[in-house]
Amino acid sequence: MEDMDIQALQKQVRKAKRIASERAAELHDLVEERLPAAYEEIPEIAKACYEACYEWAQVNGQLQELEALQASDS
């Protein structure tokens, strides 16, 4: 694979990590500032956080595989 592929995947990983961090911050804010009154928001915010972290893990795994493949080709 080309360096452009790795660079594009690195960009996706950074974006996915940023989004996951934002969702985690939303969950943290809910716990720290709005519970127990806003308990009904837990499932929605937790699901969004989980999905964002899952997306990051998928893209990051692809990047690691690609980097390992490139390293073995060298």
Side-chain angles (χ1 to χ4, degrees), residues 11-40:
K11 185 176 179 179
Q12 284 182 298
V13 168
R14 286 191 301 272
K15 181 179 179 183
K17 185 175 181 178
R18 179 185 52 79
I19 292 170
S21 295
E22 289 172 2
R23 298 299 172 262
E26 290 172 10
L27 186 58
H28 178 266
D29 290 347
L30 173 66
V31 170
E32 289 289 317
E33 299 170 6
R34 299 195 318 268
L35 287 181
Y39 72 93
E40 292 176 337

Side-chain angles (χ1 to χ4, degrees), residues 43-62:
E44 181 181 339
I45 294 174
K47 182 180 179 191
C49 184
Y50 174 84
E51 290 173 352
C53 290
Y54 181 83
E55 178 65 27
W56 169 82
Q58 295 299 306
V59 177
N60 192 53
Q62 291 173 9

Side-chain angles (χ1 to χ4, degrees), residues 13 64 69:
V13 168
Q64 289 178 351
L69 182 62

